[in-house]
Amino acid sequence: MSLDVSYHQPKHFILGLNNLLRSLLFFVELSNKNSPDWLKIAVNSFLQAQPDEYQILRYLRNVSAHQKLVFPDESLVSGLYRIKSTRNYTLKLGFGDHDKPGKYAWDLALKDTSEIFHDMLAFASITFMDLEHSSIGECLGITRRWFFKVNFKTDQKRYNEIVDVYQLVSAFSARLLDHVCKAYAAHLGVHYEHTFEVQLEDHNFINTLLEIDLFPGLFSDWWEDEYGPLNYGIRSKITESRRHESNDEFHKWVYENLTPDIAAYRAQLDRFASLDAKAIFEKDNIAEFASFVLTNHWHYKSVFGGGLRESGVSASDVMQLQRAGNIFVEEYRKEKLCTIASTKQRLNDQIHEMLKKIDDEQSARAEI
């Protein structure tokens, strides 16, 4: 996924590629040494089924670890694309060789694809497109591929070829992950159907950057519908930006709606202890749960002054409450009934402990 996000940013992509090569081969080698039998068998059977891919990746890892970074060459194809789906495009008219590295000016080698976009597409724009892009589903774009020349031999075979390093390492990693997950499911005797491997066409939402990715607002006007970017890397950045904005808005809302007094603080504790796990995640409850339980330190400081005032509830209690709440949320997302029940009980125990301290303190004050 990291490679997919950084695919059109050469400097980040090259570092990510080298890190993945080292991590992947480290996992393979460790699995053959200090691992359970089911994992050793699964990894060995996987390697035997595709020996060439393994040997090439092993060679690339050795280059990266002992000589220098694997620094792939690239091919750049630009022209007019037909969008067949959100993941798959067809190149209708264009320039460049899609199947081998090209020779380009030195200043293009490490530039992000978005930075060379207009320079490479100037002729295609004048020649292939009307200014308003009136053909719905068609726009200009650039496909980038990353190649490396391997030349080595093993006891069994000589390798001398140019490989698409992204395609090789990503497909191998996904297939290995699928194989290991299925083996583990079989070892546990559980049903498992998920797959991580994705078959990509030659021009797709990872290796191709389209005009619609860079300025979707114009295409929404031109094609009279709401359009957003298709490229995986850009969509990931937008999602991360929205997550950041949402986090900011949430904390602002929390701050503006802090618990006003001890009675309200106690009532909220009691409320979330009495709700069952499913009810907490219902629309009417989840926002206040996230605010009061997962961000309790603000409510605590608002009501008790952060422990500076006299209070039976301590900062340690607040930290334990938030930790129990976060663990409960994580387990609920996994949909494992046994751990959902146990982590909710752990949260309840912490809440009841805090309720007791509040009640004991109020009783002591009433006596005085």
PDB file of all heavy atoms in Angstrom, residues 22 38 45 63 90 101 124 203 206 224 228 257 366:
ATOM      1  N   ARG A  22      13.770  -5.733   1.554  1.00  0.00           N
ATOM      2  CA  ARG A  22      14.480  -6.235   2.740  1.00  0.00           C
ATOM      3  C   ARG A  22      13.515  -6.893   3.725  1.00  0.00           C
ATOM      4  O   ARG A  22      13.793  -7.974   4.257  1.00  0.00           O
ATOM      5  CB  ARG A  22      15.230  -5.081   3.403  1.00  0.00           C
ATOM      6  CG  ARG A  22      16.302  -4.464   2.502  1.00  0.00           C
ATOM      7  CD  ARG A  22      17.002  -3.307   3.169  1.00  0.00           C
ATOM      8  NE  ARG A  22      17.840  -2.570   2.231  1.00  0.00           N
ATOM      9  CZ  ARG A  22      18.673  -1.601   2.580  1.00  0.00           C
ATOM     10  NH1 ARG A  22      18.746  -1.233   3.853  1.00  0.00           N
ATOM     11  NH2 ARG A  22      19.398  -0.972   1.664  1.00  0.00           N
ATOM     12  N   TRP A  38       3.677 -25.113  10.821  1.00  0.00           N
ATOM     13  CA  TRP A  38       2.691 -24.756   9.787  1.00  0.00           C
ATOM     14  C   TRP A  38       3.194 -23.611   8.920  1.00  0.00           C
ATOM     15  O   TRP A  38       2.959 -23.582   7.711  1.00  0.00           O
ATOM     16  CB  TRP A  38       1.344 -24.412  10.412  1.00  0.00           C
ATOM     17  CG  TRP A  38       1.308 -23.098  11.139  1.00  0.00           C
ATOM     18  CD1 TRP A  38       1.480 -22.891  12.479  1.00  0.00           C
ATOM     19  CD2 TRP A  38       1.113 -21.809  10.551  1.00  0.00           C
ATOM     20  NE1 TRP A  38       1.407 -21.549  12.763  1.00  0.00           N
ATOM     21  CE2 TRP A  38       1.178 -20.855  11.606  1.00  0.00           C
ATOM     22  CE3 TRP A  38       0.884 -21.352   9.257  1.00  0.00           C
ATOM     23  CZ2 TRP A  38       1.026 -19.491  11.392  1.00  0.00           C
ATOM     24  CZ3 TRP A  38       0.730 -19.994   9.037  1.00  0.00           C
ATOM     25  CH2 TRP A  38       0.803 -19.075  10.093  1.00  0.00           C
ATOM     26  N   SER A  45       6.428 -24.240   0.628  1.00  0.00           N
ATOM     27  CA  SER A  45       5.612 -24.689  -0.503  1.00  0.00           C
ATOM     28  C   SER A  45       5.338 -23.528  -1.460  1.00  0.00           C
ATOM     29  O   SER A  45       5.295 -23.712  -2.680  1.00  0.00           O
ATOM     30  CB  SER A  45       4.293 -25.291  -0.003  1.00  0.00           C
ATOM     31  OG  SER A  45       3.497 -24.304   0.633  1.00  0.00           O
ATOM     32  N   VAL A  63      21.395  -6.996  -3.481  1.00  0.00           N
ATOM     33  CA  VAL A  63      21.934  -5.757  -4.050  1.00  0.00           C
ATOM     34  C   VAL A  63      21.628  -4.589  -3.125  1.00  0.00           C
ATOM     35  O   VAL A  63      22.501  -3.765  -2.808  1.00  0.00           O
ATOM     36  CB  VAL A  63      21.342  -5.493  -5.451  1.00  0.00           C
ATOM     37  CG1 VAL A  63      21.720  -4.097  -5.944  1.00  0.00           C
ATOM     38  CG2 VAL A  63      21.832  -6.538  -6.439  1.00  0.00           C
ATOM     39  N   THR A  90      -7.693   2.327 -20.917  1.00  0.00           N
ATOM     40  CA  THR A  90      -7.090   1.902 -22.180  1.00  0.00           C
ATOM     41  C   THR A  90      -6.399   3.098 -22.833  1.00  0.00           C
ATOM     42  O   THR A  90      -6.979   4.185 -22.908  1.00  0.00           O
ATOM     43  CB  THR A  90      -8.164   1.361 -23.145  1.00  0.00           C
ATOM     44  OG1 THR A  90      -8.790   0.216 -22.553  1.00  0.00           O
ATOM     45  CG2 THR A  90      -7.527   0.955 -24.476  1.00  0.00           C
ATOM     46  N   PRO A 101      12.375   0.260 -20.175  1.00  0.00           N
ATOM     47  CA  PRO A 101      12.740   1.616 -19.747  1.00  0.00           C
ATOM     48  C   PRO A 101      13.133   2.489 -20.924  1.00  0.00           C
ATOM     49  O   PRO A 101      13.666   2.016 -21.929  1.00  0.00           O
ATOM     50  CB  PRO A 101      13.935   1.375 -18.805  1.00  0.00           C
ATOM     51  CG  PRO A 101      14.468   0.040 -19.184  1.00  0.00           C
ATOM     52  CD  PRO A 101      13.304  -0.756 -19.648  1.00  0.00           C
ATOM     53  N   ALA A 124       0.094  16.267 -27.037  1.00  0.00           N
ATOM     54  CA  ALA A 124      -1.114  15.440 -27.019  1.00  0.00           C
ATOM     55  C   ALA A 124      -2.353  16.286 -26.781  1.00  0.00           C
ATOM     56  O   ALA A 124      -3.416  16.040 -27.360  1.00  0.00           O
ATOM     57  CB  ALA A 124      -0.993  14.365 -25.935  1.00  0.00           C
ATOM     58  N   HIS A 203      -2.793  -0.405 -17.822  1.00  0.00           N
ATOM     59  CA  HIS A 203      -2.946   1.005 -17.441  1.00  0.00           C
ATOM     60  C   HIS A 203      -4.026   1.058 -16.367  1.00  0.00           C
ATOM     61  O   HIS A 203      -5.200   0.789 -16.637  1.00  0.00           O
ATOM     62  CB  HIS A 203      -3.343   1.840 -18.659  1.00  0.00           C
ATOM     63  CG  HIS A 203      -2.436   1.650 -19.844  1.00  0.00           C
ATOM     64  ND1 HIS A 203      -1.193   2.223 -19.923  1.00  0.00           N
ATOM     65  CD2 HIS A 203      -2.591   0.919 -20.975  1.00  0.00           C
ATOM     66  CE1 HIS A 203      -0.623   1.875 -21.068  1.00  0.00           C
ATOM     67  NE2 HIS A 203      -1.453   1.076 -21.716  1.00  0.00           N
ATOM     68  N   ILE A 206      -3.162   2.824 -10.315  1.00  0.00           N
ATOM     69  CA  ILE A 206      -1.917   3.003  -9.559  1.00  0.00           C
ATOM     70  C   ILE A 206      -0.813   3.547 -10.448  1.00  0.00           C
ATOM     71  O   ILE A 206      -0.191   4.564 -10.138  1.00  0.00           O
ATOM     72  CB  ILE A 206      -1.480   1.678  -8.900  1.00  0.00           C
ATOM     73  CG1 ILE A 206      -2.477   1.293  -7.806  1.00  0.00           C
ATOM     74  CG2 ILE A 206      -0.066   1.799  -8.309  1.00  0.00           C
ATOM     75  CD1 ILE A 206      -2.275  -0.061  -7.212  1.00  0.00           C
ATOM     76  N   GLU A 224     -20.715  17.171 -16.500  1.00  0.00           N
ATOM     77  CA  GLU A 224     -21.989  17.444 -15.827  1.00  0.00           C
ATOM     78  C   GLU A 224     -22.372  16.356 -14.827  1.00  0.00           C
ATOM     79  O   GLU A 224     -23.484  15.828 -14.819  1.00  0.00           O
ATOM     80  CB  GLU A 224     -23.095  17.642 -16.871  1.00  0.00           C
ATOM     81  CG  GLU A 224     -22.845  18.834 -17.780  1.00  0.00           C
ATOM     82  CD  GLU A 224     -23.948  19.035 -18.799  1.00  0.00           C
ATOM     83  OE1 GLU A 224     -24.849  18.175 -18.854  1.00  0.00           O
ATOM     84  OE2 GLU A 224     -23.923  20.042 -19.533  1.00  0.00           O
ATOM     85  N   GLY A 228     -14.383  12.729  -8.817  1.00  0.00           N
ATOM     86  CA  GLY A 228     -13.217  12.878  -7.962  1.00  0.00           C
ATOM     87  C   GLY A 228     -12.035  12.156  -8.574  1.00  0.00           C
ATOM     88  O   GLY A 228     -12.165  11.484  -9.605  1.00  0.00           O
ATOM     89  N   ASN A 257     -18.346  21.037  24.284  1.00  0.00           N
ATOM     90  CA  ASN A 257     -19.428  20.316  24.967  1.00  0.00           C
ATOM     91  C   ASN A 257     -18.888  19.494  26.135  1.00  0.00           C
ATOM     92  O   ASN A 257     -19.275  18.332  26.332  1.00  0.00           O
ATOM     93  CB  ASN A 257     -20.157  19.405  23.980  1.00  0.00           C
ATOM     94  CG  ASN A 257     -20.897  20.180  22.904  1.00  0.00           C
ATOM     95  OD1 ASN A 257     -22.032  20.607  23.114  1.00  0.00           O
ATOM     96  ND2 ASN A 257     -20.259  20.371  21.770  1.00  0.00           N
ATOM     97  N   ALA A 366     -20.680  14.860  52.748  1.00  0.00           N
ATOM     98  CA  ALA A 366     -22.005  15.037  53.357  1.00  0.00           C
ATOM     99  C   ALA A 366     -21.939  14.870  54.871  1.00  0.00           C
ATOM    100  O   ALA A 366     -22.625  15.581  55.624  1.00  0.00           O
ATOM    101  CB  ALA A 366     -22.998  14.041  52.763  1.00  0.00           C
TER     102      ALA A 366
END
